[in-house]
Amino acid sequence: MSGDDQNLDYNELEETSITVDKEQEEDEQPIVDSEEATNKKRWILIRAVIGELLCTFLFIYIVCATSANFIRLKTVMNPVVGALSTGFASVALIYAFADVSGAHFNPSVTFSTMITRKTSITKGLMYIAAQLVGSVLAALILLATFPGDDFKGGNVASALAIEPAPDANIGNAFLMEMILTFILVYVIFAVAFDTVDNNVKTVVRGGKQGNNLTIYNTSGQTKAGFAPIAIGFTLGFLCFMGGSVSGGAFNPARVFSTALVGRNWTAHWMYWIADFLGAGLAGFTQSFFSTKYNK
């Protein structure tokens, strides 16, 4: 073989090897990108679930500690105090955790986003589990921070357990809880999902539209920027309604926490069914009103 032939063969071999290497790099690049995307989504989900746990813990503790404090002061509990505490706490926590988990801190809210396909079933169940864990931790911390001598029933959790009024039958309490939860969830859907301008799209964080983690878009371009304030006001005025009938829970996590730690399960099932039913109806009703007409 001549020298020229050898050089030609070598050059062809070198070009072939370079081509193969480039093809291998192109094949491996999507795999790396896919793994990075998967890891990022997993991290966003983990962060959101932990954030939801902390958010629920803080909300339940603030609400319960307010009531417990007034019991210890042996003063007549003013509903205005509870409403202000609930409203202020919810506004602060929604602003603080909106970009982390969406700040549901209520299984009813999460359930309504699941059935309207705004949150996936898997994420929704993880959220509800986190909410229940956070609420129980809040009730346990209540036991550690408030002595039990001032509370009827032995401890603060049992004293703060929610149950229907003695003169209210189960139908009264069921209907009241359903209405209260309907109002809350309808407002949340109207201000957090819907927009003033049809041309403005809601920002979806943590995934594709329809499976988002964050339900609050605090952009000044839409009314969702005021969602935490509107939701806080709603939670506040709901505290003036229904407390003398059903206990005014409109949050199964609030009921579950003191029921478990205080061992008071009176009509506990009713709060889950009534609240979920009211939340589901509100979600579908608001979704109907926000549906665009397409020719």
Side-chain angles (χ1 to χ4, degrees):
M1 182 181 294
S2 66
D4 293 339
D5 292 339
Q6 288 179 349
N7 291 335
L8 181 61
D9 292 341
Y10 176 79
N11 291 334
E12 289 179 351
L13 179 61
E14 186 177 22
E15 290 177 359
T16 302
S17 64
I18 292 173
T19 303
V20 172
D21 291 340
K22 288 182 178 180
E23 289 178 352
Q24 289 177 347
E25 290 178 359
E26 291 176 355
D27 290 340
E28 291 175 357
Q29 189 65 29
I31 297 176
V32 175
D33 293 342
S34 178
E35 290 179 355
E36 290 180 356
T38 301
N39 291 334
K40 184 177 181 180
K41 289 181 180 179
R42 185 180 295 112
W43 162 244
I44 291 174
L45 177 60
I46 293 173
R47 184 186 66 176
V49 171
I50 296 175
E52 189 66 15
L53 188 154
L54 178 58
C55 181
T56 307
F57 165 80
L58 293 174
F59 179 76
I60 299 299
Y61 181 80
I62 292 169
V63 171
C64 291
T66 301
S67 299
N69 189 53
F70 273 84
I71 293 175
R72 279 180 55 80
L73 292 174
K74 295 180 172 58
T75 59
V76 177
M77 183 61 183
N78 190 336
V80 176
V81 175
L84 288 176
S85 176
T86 302
F88 288 167
S90 59
V91 171
L93 291 173
I94 291 171
Y95 271 121
F97 288 90
D99 58 346
V100 177
S101 68
H104 296 195
F105 56 79
N106 188 334
S108 298
V109 175
T110 303
F111 173 76
S112 63
T113 64
M114 290 165 60
I115 64 174
T116 54
R117 302 180 68 181
K118 298 181 185 299
T119 302
S120 69
I121 300 298
T122 302
K123 294 172 186 174
L125 292 177
M126 293 177 70
Y127 264 37
I128 292 175
Q131 291 158 359
L132 295 181
V133 172
S135 66
V136 171
L137 289 176
L140 291 173
I141 296 299
L142 279 173
L143 295 180
T145 52
F146 288 92
D149 296 338
D150 296 316
F151 303 101
K152 296 179 181 179
N155 62 53
V156 61
S158 61
L160 296 178
I162 293 180
E163 60 184 21
D167 62 338
N169 59 46
I170 199 68
N172 300 142
F174 188 98
L175 185 59
M176 179 61 71
E177 278 296 310
M178 188 175 70
I179 293 173
L180 295 177
T181 310
F182 179 93
I183 296 171
L184 173 62
V185 174
Y186 186 90
V187 171
I188 290 175
F189 269 60
V191 299
F193 290 116
D194 199 11
T195 59
V196 177
D197 185 355
N198 287 335
N199 295 321
V200 177
K201 296 181 179 179
T202 302
V203 175
V204 178
R205 306 175 189 270
K208 62 182 181 179
Q209 191 166 4
N211 292 317
N212 52 309
L213 290 172
T214 302
I215 70 170
Y216 302 112
N217 168 23
T218 54
S219 169
Q221 296 176 323
T222 71
K223 64 181 178 181
F226 299 94
I229 298 174
I231 296 167
F233 282 178
T234 303
L235 283 166
F237 74 70
L238 287 178
C239 291
F240 296 123
M241 304 168 56
S244 63
V245 178
S246 66
F250 43 89
N251 186 338
R254 166 65 180 89
V255 183
F256 179 79
S257 61
T258 50
L260 180 64
V261 178
R263 291 176 291 180
N264 184 349
W265 300 94
T266 304
H268 184 76
W269 62 270
M270 181 270 296
Y271 293 96
W272 285 91
I273 298 177
D275 290 0
F276 275 24
L277 182 59
L281 290 174
F284 283 119
T285 301
Q286 201 286 323
S287 296
F288 169 77
F289 287 123
S290 65
T291 301
K292 299 177 184 178
Y293 173 74
N294 296 319
K295 294 183 180 180

